[in-house]
């Protein structure tokens, strides 16, 4: 049981000055310590405050803190500052390009040609013109009376007659196995040197079935004066007219006469259609 508060108990003895209220210590709740003085660390629970007059413990130094902060600041400056510099440089280039284009536009004369008017989309486009491929050239054909080049000579078929059974005179002659077809030809040397003309082996004939006939040399001897057309040496510009004979089956009609250009020339054979 608490005793009632008696103001006479707190009175100072006789002859002493009463203490001012400011000189008293602040009242601290139970279990707590008064706040620390400036420069001192706060007291932890279970610790006692240092005695009066004892020096305050020195603050613990951290030597790694300052270099770490400097390194972080330098990294931030390098990362952010480089991108900012690139952005500023590109911005300057864009501004320079814009100013240059504006200067060019300002320098162009005001009397520029008007812009071309876009064609109306309602008009139907013209179909693309297609050119037909040129037809292959047909080989040139030659007939009786035409001059045809064959090797070193220019040949002309003058006439053709079939159904001849015998060549020569009544004393000297040559009879056909079937019937003779006589072809009158002219050979002209169109080169710059003399060449030997021999009808036998140079001129051939073909019928409608594709059968090939050689010249009958013996009939040509009886059927030509002075054996013309056989082993004749013809000078440049000169020509020889001769008859060549083909021994063919009776009723055969010749279709073409071919003049061989020779083995030692690149010229094509000459063909005459009868």
């Amino acid at each position: 049981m608490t005793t009632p508060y008696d103001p006479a108990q707190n009175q100072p003895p006789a002859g002493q000055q009463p203490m001012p209220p400011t000189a008293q210590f602040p009242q601290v709740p139970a279990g707590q310590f008064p706040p620390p003085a400036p420069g001192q660390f706060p007291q932890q629970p279970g610790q006692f405050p240092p005695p009066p007059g004892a020096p305050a413990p020195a603050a613990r130094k951290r030597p790694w803190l300052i270099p770490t902060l400097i390194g972080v600041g330098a990294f931030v400056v390098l990362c952010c500052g480089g991108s900012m510099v690139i952005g500023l440089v590109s911005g300057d280039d864009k501004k320079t390009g814009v100013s240059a284009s504006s200067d060019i536009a300002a320098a162009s004369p005001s009397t520029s040609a008007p812009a071309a008017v876009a064609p109306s989309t309602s008009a139907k486009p013209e179909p693309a013109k297609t050119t037909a491929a040129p037809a292959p050239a047909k080989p040139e054909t030659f007939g009786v009376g035409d001059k045809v080049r064959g090797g070193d000579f220019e040949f002309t078929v003058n006439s053709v007659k079939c159904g001849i059974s015998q060549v020569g005179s009544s004393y000297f002659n040559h009879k056909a196995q079937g019937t003779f077809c006589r072809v009158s030809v002219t050979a002209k040397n169109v080169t710059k040197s003399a060449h030997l003309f021999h009808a036998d082996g140079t001129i051939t004939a073909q019928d409608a079935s594709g059968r090939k006939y050689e010249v009958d040399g013996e009939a040509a001897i009886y059927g030509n004066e002075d054996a013309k057309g056989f082993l004749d040496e013809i000078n440049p510009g000169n020509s020889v007219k001769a008859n060549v004979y083909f021994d063919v089956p009776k009723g055969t009609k010749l279709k073409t006469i071919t003049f061989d250009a020779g083995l030692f020339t690149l010229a094509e054979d000459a063909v005459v259609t009868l």
Side-chain angles (χ1 to χ4, degrees), residues 35-184:
Q40 294 185 357
F41 294 97
Q43 298 296 327
Q44 301 293 332
Q47 293 184 358
F48 297 96
R60 187 168 53 186
K61 297 183 179 179
R62 299 179 181 177
W64 52 270
L65 182 59
I66 294 176
T68 302
L69 294 177
I70 293 175
V72 172
F75 180 79
V76 172
V77 170
L78 289 177
C79 294
C80 299
S83 60
M84 292 175 63
V85 171
I86 294 174
L88 292 175
V89 171
S90 60
D92 293 339
D93 293 341
K94 292 180 179 179
K95 291 180 180 179
T96 304
V98 171
S99 61
S101 61
S102 61
D103 294 342
I104 294 174
S108 60
S110 59
T111 58
S112 58
V117 179
S120 176
T121 56
S122 60
K124 295 182 179 180
E126 296 182 359
K129 297 181 179 179
T130 57
T131 56
K138 294 182 179 180
E140 188 176 0
T141 58
F142 301 94
V144 176
D146 294 334
K147 297 178 180 180
V148 186
R149 175 73 181 267
D152 299 326
F153 297 96
E154 181 183 76
F155 296 96
T156 304
V157 176
N158 302 310
S159 62
V160 178
K161 183 180 179 181
C162 294
I164 301 174
S165 59
Q166 177 179 310
V167 179
S169 64
S170 57
Y171 298 100
F172 301 97
N173 55 61
H174 179 67
K175 293 182 180 180
Q177 298 173 354
T179 184
F180 286 118
C181 283
R182 183 182 64 194
V183 180
S184 175

Side-chain angles (χ1 to χ4, degrees), residues 199-221:
D200 191 1
T202 302
I203 302 174
T204 57
Q206 297 83 27
D207 61 11
S209 301
R211 293 180 293 185
K212 183 178 179 181
Y213 303 98
E214 301 289 341
V215 174
D216 189 330
E218 187 176 356
I221 294 174

